[in-house]
Amino acid sequence: GAVVSQHPSRVICKSGTSVKIECRSLDFQATTMFWYRQFPKQSLMLMATSNEGSKATYEQGVEKDKFLINHASLTLSTLTVTSAHPEDSSFYICSAARTSSYNEQFFGPGTRLTVL
Amino acid sequence: KNQVEQSPQSLIILEGKNCTLQCNYTVSPFSNLRWYKQDTGRGPVSLTIMTFSENTKSNGRYTATLDADTKQSSLHITASQLSDSASYICVVRLVRGSQGNLIFGKGTKLSVKP
């Protein structure tokens, strides 16, 4: 159990367009989902924490109007990169925490975004 | 400043050999420490999780140790296999109200050669 999926796994888009990435918890309910960004040879950096039914909490330096997060249900959170630029190219990873377990986050497989 | 430092940055070993990866942290207040395996282009997968009171935790060929006094942890891989080639990330969780307070190390990239 505790499987998290992401879609798409890879996406290439033109500069100025918007891209939506989905994160789903397949076999458990996740009150809280997290979005991370990982640049090459760097550690995961938390972008925002998403709670079902409420506004996401963004980390310092992350533009909430650029990275739109929607957590509409207990199994789905979406991250939309608006007006993408080449510097947004990165590996985006989501994780989900079970409602019943306080300590464990389960990570998705990641989405590779390339902005041309 | 809360930091997690891992060493070495990269490591190459022959198949069948053992290796040990190191993690030093300056995170406070400490809740738990986790080791993850991240294959290239994939999300991290949990290997072990240890709380303050635990000194060692095993998961198959992976054995993690924790010294909370010196704030050091190690991950020992026994009888390495080609499939062990990956990045190994040490993650320390802060004690706070939120579930998102994880401090990630940069990882050690392990390459197992035949």
Side-chain angles (χ1 to χ4, degrees), chain B residues 1-4 24-32 71 91-95 101-104:
Chain B
K1 183 179 179 182
N2 291 313
Q3 285 187 317
V4 175
N24 297 333
Y25 62 93
T26 56
V27 176
S28 181
F30 171 91
S31 175
N32 57 56
K71 297 188 177 181
V91 183
V92 179
R93 183 172 181 273
L94 286 162
V95 175
N101 298 303
L102 302 182
I103 310 298
F104 289 79

Side-chain angles (χ1 to χ4, degrees), chain A residues 4 16 29 41 67 83 89 109:
Chain A
V4 177
Q29 292 186 327
K41 298 185 180 180
F67 298 99
S83 187
S89 298

Side-chain angles (χ1 to χ4, degrees), chain A residues 4 13 15 24 37 58 60-61 76 78 85 96 99 103 106 110 114:
Chain A
V4 177
C13 68
S15 185
R24 292 180 185 273
R37 183 165 49 182
Y58 291 81
Q60 192 172 12
L76 173 64
T78 61
H85 291 285
T99 53
N103 280 314
F106 301 95
T114 302

Side-chain angles (χ1 to χ4, degrees), chain A residues 88-105:
Chain A
D88 298 324
S89 298
S90 187
F91 193 52
Y92 291 85
I93 303 175
C94 74
S95 71
R98 290 180 191 266
T99 53
S100 60
S101 173
Y102 190 74
N103 280 314
E104 189 69 59
Q105 287 184 35

Side-chain angles (χ1 to χ4, degrees), chain B residues 5-14 16-24 35 47 50 55-57 61-66 72-80 84 86 88-90 107-112:
Chain B
E5 301 287 342
Q6 290 188 243
S7 62
Q9 189 174 20
S10 63
L11 181 63
I12 300 174
I13 62 173
L14 293 177
K17 297 296 185 182
N18 303 334
C19 67
T20 300
L21 313 180
Q22 301 292 340
C23 173
N24 297 333
W35 282 94
L47 295 176
M50 288 181 291
N55 300 119
T56 184
K57 185 72 70 77
R61 295 181 295 104
Y62 302 103
T63 299
T65 64
L66 173 64
Q72 296 179 326
S73 177
S74 66
L75 180 69
H76 186 73
I77 304 175
T78 305
S80 61
D84 292 333
Y88 291 84
I89 305 173
C90 176
T108 291
K109 186 175 176 62
L110 174 66
S111 297
V112 181

